[in-house]
Amino acid sequence: METFSKLTNLLLHALETREPTVDLLESFVDHWKSITNYYIETTDDSRPVKQTEIPWRLKQMLDILVYEEKQQQGVDETGSCFEYLLQHKLLETLCTLGKAQYPPGMVQQVLMFFSKLLSQMQKPLLQLVNIYRPVQKLIRLCTLPGSNTEKEEAQFLLAVCSRVKQDPHTLRYVLEIVDQPAARTPASDQSQLSTQASSHTKEPPQPFSQSESSICSPVQSESGLLSALLQLTKSQRPSVCVKAYESLLLLSSLPSGGSGEILCHHTQLGELLAGRLLELHSLLSVESLDPGELQSWPHTPWSSQFSRCSSDLRSESPAADHVTDFFSWFDFLDHLMKEAPEVLAVKLAQCVHQLWLVEVVQPQLQHTCEQALLVSTSLLCAAVRLVQSSSLLDQLVHFLLRTHTLTHLLLQRCNHISDQISMASLSLVEELLQKPHRDILDVLVLSFLQTRSYLSPPAAGQDDRHTESHETNAEDSDDLEEDPFFFSDSLLSDSQLLVPPPPPLLSSSAPPPPSVPGSAADVVNSFLCLVPVQVRSAQLLQEGGYESYVHDAHTLVTECQSLSLSWDWPRTLPPPSSSSSSSSSGESEDFFEGHLLKVLFDRLERVLEQPYELNLQLTAVLSRLSSFNHPLLHEYLLNPYIHLSHCSRSLFSVLIRLMGELMQRIQQVPNLTDRLLNARRHLLGLDHNAGLEHLTLLRGLIVLEEFCKELAAIAFVKLPLDQH
């Protein structure tokens, strides 16, 4: 009895596995014939498709295809229903019905059917000719004027891109791209087709059609997948936008080696994406934008705009919304270039460079209108600060530093007659110095210091790192005889020569720096003693000395060192050039510190006459330059003991002469101590009734005092590291 029961179960199981196959195919064909019969029997053209049984029939067909695939043993096995769909070109017919919009709303049902078919079927589909050709036709129906199917179009295109992500070799089918034949003859076409048929076992022959000449063109036409996705990114519906963005990211981050070349050389992806940036940039109103707000615009992730599209989160200012839209798209391009293959990322960045930077931004930077200059410079500040991809950063650096006329113009504007333009230009320089790109410092500073022509001939033969303090002081005194206040007894008293405390972030067991000429203590004291005692005001409010800057200096130096780790900078100074080391009757070539250092030193010499905010920006740039760990920068900016050649300046020598000028000018300020105290309290927000008389001079003096302490802290942090 048990044996008979087992035999019965086996027979029933066999019937269950055979019978559904016949039923599935019959049911599938029956559903399809019901759809076609509707067009034969129905004469009402105005009846919407949702009022018919077509949507239900399509859903049943899809369910049958998915169920049939799940019952198969292998992916390569083709079920009878799926075979019927391919052989009878059902998808081609559905595309035709959708294009005709009969019954009304049919294209929506077709898009939904294609989307679910591509997303729910597991076997590879897009390399099948009877799949990708209908897909191509349906893509052309997307984003047509007057279309009301954005939601379904976005879902369909996302399904297509997800399929391409799984099978990157199908990208050329979706984009309708084929290889350009060597000679366009009927014989060569037949030969190519036969070769493809014999050599591609898993892929069908390359698709040729009547519009072959346009398909074979090196650049895709406007009415393709990419332009449809770009159009959908402009939708007012967040769900549609996010699907379009995700589809573009899927296409741009394909892992296949040839996908990047296809998108780079055979499509207009770069032009389309950069063109959208131009559209958003054109909406920015120069007159209504605040340059300061624009310069400090926060990071705007591209995905954040979808929540911002809701009415309760929209800004009351249309101008602010346009800026947000611009930086959201900029962030999307930046993110896309980080994810894309290098060849594609470079091409996209080049398109942004040519179409936006060169053709749009550069003319604005050369404009004579002050507001236009401020807005364009501030926009570049924000772009440099926000960019993360190396390809886009390369193009920004190339635009700003390798376009000679523009580079010279931007650096000259650091010393512009307009303080606002000078501040914006200095801010741009500071943003550049914070980016991980070696060319920035090479072009702006290091290329001018490489010969060390700032050294005088006697100093060139001595040790590059240490010189005798007596000789240095003697030469400095010869050069600065006109500065009597600098060498007053009160300035150089022993009580003012501070011994540096150990930095809080360094090892507490490290020994203190030796107090010998050229040591950390000596260099620190050189900067601390620059400001005469009688004009110091920090102690009047019991503020800290330079040690209060050590923590921030350590952070800044560490940040600069992390940027330069991969730049392979030398650890020792290069030998001076022959022009600086020769002693030929004083006819050596004059040293030029470069346009950047020139304007910085020129501005520093006028620190007593400039607005407080401008002085803060100026000293921030100089402090950052001093924090880099290149031996040339350290020698030129932080070594007080170098012998300067004729007509050469260093940061220390500029500060020395500035102190001499300061001591002469303060003779005209009565009650100096009280005024300094009031000015410092006013800057700290403790006193709102500071007098306007001599206020610029007093603020400049306070900036100088704090700047010298900051330089001392930077030198203190750097020198022990160098010595170890």
Side-chain angles (χ1 to χ4, degrees):
M1 186 67 181
E2 183 178 357
T3 304
F4 178 79
S5 177
K6 290 183 178 179
L7 182 60
T8 303
N9 290 334
L10 288 174
L11 290 174
L12 289 174
H13 181 70
L15 289 174
E16 289 175 357
T17 56
R18 285 183 53 112
E19 187 174 1
T21 304
V22 178
D23 291 342
L24 285 178
L25 180 58
E26 289 180 356
S27 179
F28 186 82
V29 174
D30 179 66
H31 287 303
W32 176 246
K33 288 184 177 179
S34 297
I35 293 175
T36 56
N37 287 337
Y38 174 84
Y39 289 90
I40 298 174
E41 300 171 357
T42 304
T43 58
D44 185 5
D45 297 345
S46 61
R47 186 182 182 186
V49 68
K50 290 185 178 180
Q51 297 180 9
T52 71
E53 61 179 16
I54 291 178
W56 181 79
R57 296 287 184 182
L58 289 175
K59 183 180 183 303
Q60 296 304 310
M61 292 173 62
L62 180 65
D63 291 343
I64 290 173
L65 290 172
V66 173
Y67 177 80
E68 180 187 57
E69 184 185 46
K70 289 181 179 179
Q71 302 306 309
Q72 296 167 4
Q73 299 298 324
V75 179
D76 295 334
E77 183 180 350
T78 302
S80 57
C81 298
F82 188 71
E83 190 69 32
Y84 181 89
L85 178 138
L86 296 178
Q87 290 182 357
H88 292 80
K89 299 183 178 180
L90 302 192
L91 298 182
E92 292 271 4
T93 305
L94 285 175
C95 277
T96 304
L97 297 176
K99 183 177 181 180
Q101 274 286 48
Y102 176 62
M106 185 62 184
V107 67
Q108 184 180 24
Q109 299 300 319
V110 174
L111 286 167
M112 293 170 59
F113 181 81
F114 272 68
S115 300
K116 294 177 180 178
L117 178 70
L118 292 174
S119 59
Q120 296 183 21
M121 296 286 287
Q122 301 299 315
K123 60 168 56 70
L125 297 177
L126 286 180
Q127 71 268 38
L128 304 175
V129 65
N130 287 335
I131 298 289
Y132 70 72
R133 281 185 175 171
V135 168
Q136 292 172 351
K137 293 180 180 180
L138 197 56
I139 289 174
R140 298 190 202 110
L141 297 179
C142 294
T143 65
L144 294 178
S147 172
N148 296 320
T149 56
E150 279 187 344
K151 177 182 177 182
E152 292 76 20
E153 291 170 4
Q155 185 62 47
F156 164 65
L157 296 179
L158 179 60
V160 171
C161 295
S162 299
R163 272 293 180 174
V164 174
K165 181 73 172 181
Q166 296 176 12
D167 303 306
H169 64 278
T170 62
L171 176 65
R172 60 174 57 250
Y173 302 133
V174 173
L175 298 177
E176 304 185 47
I177 297 173
V178 296
D179 296 329
Q180 182 72 36
R184 305 298 302 141
T185 62
S188 64
D189 288 346
Q190 291 294 332
S191 174
Q192 184 179 10
L193 286 172
S194 61
T195 302
Q196 291 172 343
S198 61
S199 60
H200 291 74
T201 58
K202 294 184 179 180
E203 298 181 13
Q206 298 288 353
F208 285 90
S209 65
Q210 293 180 353
S211 58
E212 184 176 319
S213 60
S214 63
I215 294 176
C216 294
S217 61
V219 178
Q220 182 198 28
S221 64
E222 295 268 340
S223 60
L225 172 64
L226 300 178
S227 57
L229 289 173
L230 191 70
Q231 187 65 30
L232 290 176
T233 62
K234 307 174 187 179
S235 173
Q236 298 299 315
R237 305 173 65 176
S239 60
V240 172
C241 282
V242 71
K243 288 183 174 65
Y245 277 72
E246 291 173 352
S247 299
L248 287 170
L249 288 175
L250 285 174
L251 288 179
S252 302
S253 59
L254 294 178
S256 176
S259 301
E261 285 80 359
I262 292 176
L263 290 170
C264 177
H265 302 299
H266 296 281
T267 71
Q268 292 180 331
L269 180 60
E271 290 81 358
L272 290 171
L273 296 178
R276 177 59 177 160
L277 190 69
L278 264 64
E279 291 178 18
L280 296 171
H281 184 271
S282 66
L283 299 177
L284 303 180
S285 175
V286 174
E287 295 79 11
S288 60
L289 289 177
D290 178 15
E293 182 181 358
L294 189 63
Q295 179 179 319
S296 58
W297 197 267
H299 176 231
T300 309
W302 61 269
S303 57
S304 66
Q305 62 178 316
F306 306 126
S307 60
R308 190 180 54 82
C309 284
S310 57
S311 58
D312 57 333
L313 294 178
R314 292 293 292 183
S315 170
E316 295 181 0
S317 170
D321 288 334
H322 291 323
V323 176
T324 302
D325 291 338
F326 173 82
F327 281 114
S328 295
W329 186 255
F330 184 84
D331 179 72
F332 174 71
L333 292 183
D334 188 45
H335 179 75
L336 187 145
M337 292 180 206
K338 288 195 297 183
E339 300 293 331
E342 182 179 1
V343 61
L344 178 59
V346 170
K347 175 63 182 297
L348 297 180
Q350 289 173 346
C351 290
V352 172
H353 178 197
Q354 181 61 37
L355 298 179
W356 179 52
L357 294 175
V358 174
E359 297 183 6
V360 177
V361 177
Q362 185 170 345
Q364 293 182 356
L365 290 172
Q366 297 171 335
H367 206 279
T368 56
C369 173
E370 180 175 343
Q371 178 68 9
L373 291 179
L374 284 173
V375 169
S376 56
T377 306
S378 300
L379 187 68
L380 275 178
C381 281
V384 171
R385 173 171 50 85
L386 297 173
V387 68
Q388 297 293 325
S389 68
S390 58
S391 300
L392 189 52
L393 178 60
D394 281 340
Q395 295 302 318
L396 280 169
V397 171
H398 183 274
F399 171 71
L400 292 171
L401 301 183
R402 298 294 185 182
T403 309
H404 178 69
T405 55
L406 181 61
T407 304
H408 182 71
L409 184 63
L410 290 175
L411 293 179
Q412 286 299 316
R413 285 185 180 150
C414 294
N415 200 11
H416 198 272
I417 189 174
S418 167
D419 292 333
Q420 289 82 2
I421 292 178
S422 295
M423 285 186 60
S425 302
L426 286 170
S427 298
L428 179 57
V429 172
E430 186 182 17
E431 295 295 350
L432 283 171
L433 294 176
Q434 297 179 59
K435 306 309 292 187
H437 201 292
R438 179 171 183 168
D439 289 353
I440 296 172
L441 275 170
D442 286 346
V443 173
L444 291 178
V445 181
L446 294 178
S447 60
F448 299 96
L449 303 181
Q450 192 65 36
T451 61
R452 299 177 70 196
S453 301
Y454 48 84
L455 296 178
S456 64
Q462 299 175 3
D463 192 326
D464 294 328
R465 304 287 287 182
H466 306 288
T467 51
E468 296 296 333
S469 61
H470 298 293
E471 296 179 5
T472 302
N473 292 335
E475 290 199 6
D476 288 342
S477 62
D478 292 341
D479 293 338
L480 299 169
E481 290 178 355
E482 69 276 18
D483 296 338
F485 300 100
F486 181 75
F487 292 97
S488 62
D489 294 337
S490 61
L491 173 63
L492 295 180
S493 62
D494 293 339
S495 62
Q496 301 302 323
L497 293 177
L498 305 179
V499 178
L505 298 182
L506 298 179
S507 173
S508 59
S509 61
S515 183
V516 297
S519 67
D522 214 33
V523 173
V524 168
N525 285 321
S526 297
F527 283 104
L528 291 178
C529 293
L530 279 172
V531 181
V533 176
Q534 58 265 41
V535 297
R536 298 178 189 173
S537 58
Q539 72 278 5
L540 299 178
L541 289 178
Q542 297 181 350
E543 294 185 14
Y546 89 100
E547 62 274 3
S548 61
Y549 283 93
V550 169
H551 182 277
D552 292 338
H554 187 277
T555 302
L556 184 58
V557 170
T558 303
E559 177 185 337
C560 293
Q561 286 181 342
S562 65
L563 285 177
S564 61
L565 280 179
S566 61
W567 295 348
D568 194 26
W569 273 351
R571 294 182 176 272
T572 58
L573 289 164
S577 65
S578 57
S579 61
S580 63
S581 59
S582 62
S583 57
S584 57
S585 66
E587 296 182 358
S588 59
E589 181 182 356
D590 289 338
F591 167 69
F592 177 58
E593 60 268 77
H595 298 290
L596 175 60
L597 287 175
K598 181 180 185 303
V599 296
L600 293 180
F601 288 169
D602 290 345
R603 274 291 184 188
L604 187 60
E605 290 176 346
R606 302 200 305 273
V607 73
L608 301 176
E609 308 165 1
Q610 297 172 159
Y612 176 72
E613 294 77 11
L614 177 57
N615 287 335
L616 290 182
Q617 186 62 63
L618 171 67
T619 54
V621 174
L622 286 168
S623 297
R624 183 166 291 274
L625 281 173
S626 303
S627 300
F628 281 99
N629 203 30
H630 195 286
L632 286 172
L633 287 172
H634 186 86
E635 177 184 61
Y636 188 64
L637 297 178
L638 290 181
N639 189 348
Y641 301 104
I642 58 174
H643 297 262
L644 295 175
S645 61
H646 180 64
C647 295
S648 296
R649 297 182 297 180
S650 69
L651 178 57
F652 192 78
S653 70
V654 172
L655 290 172
I656 287 178
R657 296 187 181 279
L658 186 58
M659 294 305 167
E661 178 188 349
L662 167 66
M663 296 306 295
Q664 294 177 3
R665 296 186 60 174
I666 62 173
Q667 303 304 312
Q668 305 172 4
V669 182
N671 301 322
L672 176 64
T673 302
D674 293 338
R675 290 179 181 272
L676 271 175
L677 178 60
N678 291 335
R680 187 175 282 271
R681 289 174 59 87
H682 180 70
L683 291 176
L684 294 175
L686 303 176
D687 183 4
H688 302 286
N689 299 317
L692 298 178
E693 188 178 5
H694 306 293
L695 187 59
T696 301
L697 173 64
L698 296 175
R699 286 181 171 181
L701 173 55
I702 293 172
V703 169
L704 270 181
E705 180 181 354
E706 300 304 314
F707 181 49
C708 289
K709 291 193 292 186
E710 185 177 11
L711 291 176
I714 293 172
F716 174 64
V717 171
K718 288 181 65 180
L719 279 174
L721 298 178
D722 293 340
Q723 291 171 355
H724 290 204

